[in-house]
Amino acid sequence: MADAPLAPRKPHMRTVHGDSTEDPYYWLLDRDDPDTIAYLEAENEYTAAQTEHLAPLRERLFEEIKARVQETDLSVPTRRGPWWYVTRTEEGKQYSIFCRRPAPDDEAHEEVLLDGNELAGESPFFALGIIDVSPDHSVLAYSTDFDGDESYTLRFKNLVTGETLADEIEATYYSSAWGLDNATFFYTTIDDAHRPYRLWRHRLGTAASADEIVYEENDERFFLGVELTRSERFIVVDLASKVTSEVRILDAAHPDGELQVFEPRRQGVEYSIDHQGDRFLVLHNDGALNFELAHAPVTATGRAQWQPLLPHREDTRLMGMDAFAGHVVVHLRRDALTRLRVVRNDGDTHDIEFDEPVFDVAPGANAEYETTSFRLGYESFVTPHTVYDYDLDGRALELKKQQPVLGGYDRADYIQTREWATAPDGARVPISVVRRKEVELDGRAACLLYGYGSYETSLDPWFSAIRLPMLDRGIVFAVAHVRGGGELGRQWYEDGKLLRKRNTFTDFIASAEHLCAQQYTSPARMAARGGSAGGLLMGAVANLAPQQFAAILAEVPFVDALNTILDPTLPLTVIEWEEWGNPIESADVYSYMKSYSPYENIDAKAYPAILATAGLNDPRVGYHEPAKWVAKLRATKTDDRPLLLKTEMGAGHAGPSGRYDVWRDQAFAMAFVIQELGAPDLLPA
């Protein structure tokens, strides 16, 4: 196709709060229109033609990624009752294989529970949703998606005979729970807005048509999830909007019973629970901005019964807790770093310590309730994912496995640092940076700056073998921990949402400017990358500071934010109003969103080189958002830099599913960035 403005069709007039706007690209929302599909396919052809010369580089990058990964590998076994559960990968195969062995760890009698490769068959996309073994380990519930639309078909496998049962349930979602009778199974389904809203009770051996609705959540702001506590005493139903939550519980030994409200929902109050002995643990923010850990008797769960166990602190955000028979482990955040705190029933409280300048630590697979060992995962920009078991009695870490990195990887070849940028309003924004030690801070290096900044999601430092080909070409990698994320606690999130959303964008620009001022790079050698809500960030900074970046990689970007949030018929819109505001009801929200929404603010000026990606089956960010954005950019911008749209026609929000397909997809993105940042002097000899 020609690189020219898309001819407008079926213009759409919208009038909100007295503001009338015509959208000439509105027709791209209709995926049933053959012209829409033809447009997306033509854009894919154009992108392929414009990047054909990069094919050798892409293949080289793919092989470099592959050479770093131990393709045949085994996870650390996880003990659950009489079994050790493990996951393996095999060279040449796209998907994981799920297995178990009798305890003690008997490798000679390993059973294959599910082989993702066999289930996927010839399908170009495959994803597993639920993988849930019954309490007596006799039945496996699992669900599959072959389109990427996150709607799963649920099935059951008899692990004694190996047969797949006749029970089959369509259009289910992620969470699930077993009753202790090993025959009652709870699952969720979604509404037309792709919101999990119904909890169902299924009895093995009966038709799905006979399943009972246990609970239906009618408030369109709330998601519904279900799980079985580690103690296997209670089935917990979590109901949560962006800012409010409610929990309902059921005795797992009596799965035919009625749900009981733990504490009624109150707007703005969030809480979650876990069970321990004769009490519940409650993590809540009622009068505690950064959350407090409390406990309450099993027999009296109301708010008046919540007694502090870890009181609120302004410098520490409590994020989650795992309850065991003799202790609780709390996942928390302080100084823009994650931590783990052990709270024993005997009163002893201590943190598990790590000494790198930037790192991420999180709970691992801990299925056993009666234990004095805690499994955790640890990594940093230079330390591959590492699994430890922590001995609570001896306070010692036992290394179980560090993910192998092939090709002679040596962490001493890299330097990771923490920088702090100053935002326009004076806020200090943390930046995590990694580079090869040979890279001089003279402003000549290339740099890829990554960002997100929404939903209190934090981008904690993570290791990636996929990143190594870029680092080894002298490209600096940095993450801007902008407001809207949760790196510095709940207030950091509050200051980057609703009518303070612009802080997310100006924090990112300030981070880019800081890296240039500190001589890590220069605007001519800097690229930006973000996906989903981070793609909104990419679109916003492209409008606000195009001169700061040579290239932008916007993956499944939320760039038509105002139009989407104005349309409650689109998936997830109503849920999002507590994150972005409701522009239908509020003229102030409408005006504010219109001031930053990327699609609304495209201007006749020069833009960086841009690669946008989309998924035709994406239920989270519609494919039409990047498609409309690219179409309008084509018609408006004044430069001749590359502007490319790549749509996965058989996948969703996460892109390709198989690991080799993911590596090729990443190689495509890296090749684009390398080209735009100056390929000749970045390619290794």
Side-chain angles (χ1 to χ4, degrees):
M1 62 174 290
D3 189 356
L6 178 70
R9 295 179 55 239
K10 295 187 283 189
H12 173 69
M13 287 299 300
R14 182 196 70 204
T15 301
V16 184
H17 302 297
D19 180 15
S20 295
T21 306
E22 182 179 277
D23 184 354
Y25 306 106
Y26 181 78
W27 65 273
L28 284 170
L29 273 73
D30 186 1
R31 63 176 291 172
D32 293 326
D33 185 339
D35 287 349
T36 297
I37 300 302
Y39 169 73
L40 297 175
E41 290 175 341
E43 281 286 353
N44 280 348
E45 292 172 6
Y46 175 74
T47 296
Q50 293 296 303
T51 59
E52 185 177 7
H53 65 287
L54 295 175
L57 174 58
R58 290 198 296 266
E59 187 62 28
R60 184 172 184 174
L61 291 167
F62 171 78
E63 292 297 335
E64 289 177 22
I65 295 169
K66 189 177 176 183
R68 293 289 194 175
V69 177
Q70 183 167 299
E71 297 178 68
T72 297
D73 204 358
L74 186 71
S75 70
V76 179
T78 299
R79 179 71 180 264
R80 185 180 167 198
W83 296 93
W84 289 94
Y85 287 84
V86 297
T87 302
R88 65 169 63 256
T89 57
E90 294 181 359
E91 184 174 355
K93 295 184 178 181
Q94 294 266 34
Y95 301 102
S96 297
I97 303 168
F98 301 88
C99 312
R100 70 179 182 183
R101 305 163 175 170
D105 197 358
D106 184 357
E107 296 185 32
H109 293 88
E110 183 174 278
E111 300 177 8
V112 174
L113 306 182
L114 285 179
D115 186 334
N117 304 284
E118 292 182 2
L119 290 172
E122 298 300 317
S123 175
F125 183 92
F126 171 76
L128 282 168
I130 291 167
I131 306 177
D132 195 350
V133 179
S134 61
D136 69 351
H137 308 272
S138 67
V139 183
L140 171 67
Y142 68 96
S143 60
T144 55
D145 169 20
F146 292 92
D147 299 307
D149 62 358
E150 299 180 58
S151 178
Y152 293 84
T153 298
L154 176 63
R155 297 180 177 86
F156 299 86
K157 181 178 179 180
N158 185 319
L159 297 180
V160 178
T161 66
E163 69 172 321
T164 299
L165 305 183
D167 308 54
E168 186 173 301
I169 306 169
E170 300 285 347
T172 68
Y173 207 55
Y174 290 107
S175 62
S176 64
W178 283 96
L180 292 188
D181 62 357
N182 302 292
T184 304
F185 188 77
F186 296 87
Y187 65 93
T188 64
T189 57
I190 55 179
D191 62 13
D192 291 340
H194 218 84
R195 176 182 68 99
Y197 78 120
R198 278 181 176 167
L199 176 68
W200 297 80
R201 180 162 37 212
H202 174 75
R203 292 175 179 83
L204 291 183
T206 65
S209 59
D211 291 355
E212 306 166 68
I213 298 176
V214 180
Y215 181 79
E216 180 172 323
E217 177 54 60
N218 293 314
D219 190 326
E220 294 179 283
R221 300 173 301 159
F222 281 74
F223 269 51
L224 183 155
V226 62
E227 62 184 336
L228 179 67
T229 59
R230 181 179 289 103
S231 66
E232 296 188 345
R233 279 281 308 279
F234 293 94
I235 291 164
V236 176
V237 179
D238 294 299
L239 305 161
S241 77
K242 300 296 183 186
V243 299
T244 306
S245 59
E246 179 180 275
V247 172
R248 299 185 179 218
I249 57 176
L250 174 65
D251 186 339
H254 301 283
D256 289 336
E258 298 292 325
L259 295 176
Q260 302 298 315
V261 177
F262 190 91
E263 165 66 11
R265 68 188 68 176
R266 285 177 287 138
Q267 182 66 20
V269 174
E270 300 170 68
Y271 72 94
S272 60
I273 71 166
D274 204 348
H275 169 252
Q276 185 192 58
D278 60 358
R279 67 180 182 176
F280 285 106
L281 284 302
V282 186
L283 193 67
H284 71 91
N285 71 341
D286 189 12
L289 179 67
N290 278 327
F291 287 72
E292 174 181 271
L293 181 62
H295 62 95
V298 166
T299 55
T301 63
R303 177 65 178 93
Q305 305 299 321
W306 298 0
Q307 299 299 313
L309 189 60
L310 282 183
H312 174 263
R313 287 182 51 165
E314 291 186 1
D315 65 348
T316 302
R317 168 68 160 98
L318 305 185
M319 300 185 294
M321 81 303 200
D322 290 279
F324 302 87
H327 65 282
V328 181
V329 178
V330 181
H331 194 207
L332 57 88
R333 182 180 304 282
R334 187 176 64 249
D335 299 327
L337 292 173
T338 52
R339 312 274 184 176
L340 291 171
R341 180 167 298 168
V342 178
V343 183
R344 297 180 60 128
N345 293 0
D346 61 11
D348 174 75
T349 300
H350 65 274
D351 288 1
I352 305 174
E353 297 294 340
F354 302 94
D355 60 4
E356 290 189 85
V358 295
F359 62 86
D360 181 34
V361 62
N366 290 281
E368 295 284 272
Y369 178 65
E370 298 277 353
T371 182
T372 59
S373 178
F374 181 77
R375 178 158 294 173
L376 60 93
Y378 175 90
E379 63 188 313
S380 72
F381 280 151
V382 301
T383 302
H385 183 71
T386 307
V387 177
Y388 291 104
D389 280 352
Y390 181 72
D391 179 4
L392 277 77
D393 294 329
R395 295 195 182 186
L397 287 167
E398 178 188 358
L399 175 65
K400 305 302 291 186
K401 179 178 181 178
Q402 186 167 91
Q403 189 63 40
V405 183
L406 308 183
Y409 174 76
D410 185 347
R411 57 173 290 170
D413 293 336
Y414 306 87
I415 299 172
Q416 58 179 354
T417 53
R418 170 61 57 81
E419 294 281 340
W420 294 83
T422 302
D425 64 355
R428 298 183 70 234
V429 182
I431 312 168
S432 298
V433 187
V434 61
R435 71 185 196 275
R436 279 197 68 96
K437 65 181 181 181
E438 300 93 343
V439 174
E440 299 290 342
L441 300 187
D442 57 9
R444 295 188 298 170
C447 176
L448 177 61
L449 180 62
Y450 192 87
Y452 188 76
S454 294
Y455 307 113
E456 203 178 358
T457 297
S458 299
L459 296 178
D460 297 302
W462 72 101
F463 184 86
S464 173
I466 294 174
R467 186 188 304 132
L468 292 178
M470 296 195 75
L471 292 177
D472 290 345
R473 283 168 168 78
I475 299 177
V476 176
F477 180 77
V479 176
H481 304 290
V482 297
R483 280 175 283 187
E487 286 87 345
L488 291 175
R490 175 51 69 92
Q491 192 61 54
W492 196 247
Y493 166 55
E494 297 287 348
D495 287 343
K497 64 181 293 192
L498 298 173
L499 297 181
R500 286 172 279 186
K501 187 62 196 171
R502 290 180 70 91
N503 285 334
T504 301
F505 318 137
T506 53
D507 283 0
F508 191 84
I509 294 167
S511 298
E513 293 172 343
H514 176 85
L515 292 174
C516 292
Q518 296 302 308
Q519 296 289 291
Y520 281 96
T521 187
S522 66
R525 306 299 300 280
M526 174 173 277
R529 183 175 189 175
S532 195
L536 164 66
L537 171 60
M538 296 299 101
V541 300
N543 288 330
L544 292 171
Q547 74 287 345
Q548 184 59 52
F549 306 97
I552 289 179
L553 179 55
E555 298 169 291
V556 290
F558 183 42
V559 281
D560 194 19
L562 178 60
N563 285 318
T564 292
I565 297 300
L566 279 168
D567 188 348
T569 68
L570 290 176
L572 307 183
T573 287
V574 174
I575 296 165
E576 296 290 324
W577 284 342
E578 290 182 333
E579 177 78 15
W580 312 97
N582 184 346
I584 300 173
E585 298 293 332
S586 170
D588 289 340
V589 170
Y590 175 86
S591 177
Y592 189 75
M593 287 196 72
K594 189 171 184 179
S595 75
Y596 70 72
S597 182
Y599 181 72
E600 306 291 334
N601 289 280
I602 293 171
D603 200 5
K605 60 188 176 187
Y607 280 81
I610 294 173
L611 170 60
T613 68
L616 185 63
N617 300 327
D618 191 342
R620 298 172 184 262
V621 176
Y623 69 89
H624 57 272
E625 296 209 23
K628 287 177 60 182
W629 183 55
V630 167
K632 190 172 181 180
L633 275 167
R634 287 200 193 284
T636 309
K637 73 189 190 85
T638 60
D639 64 273
D640 60 358
R641 296 188 183 96
L643 173 58
L644 306 175
L645 173 64
K646 180 174 178 281
T647 303
E648 294 290 338
M649 303 301 285
H653 196 63
S657 56
R659 59 174 175 166
Y660 296 105
D661 294 336
V662 169
W663 297 347
R664 290 197 180 278
D665 191 58
Q666 291 297 307
F668 187 96
M670 282 192 287
F672 172 80
V673 170
I674 289 171
Q675 170 186 255
E676 297 307 319
L677 297 186
D681 60 335
L682 290 175
L683 293 175

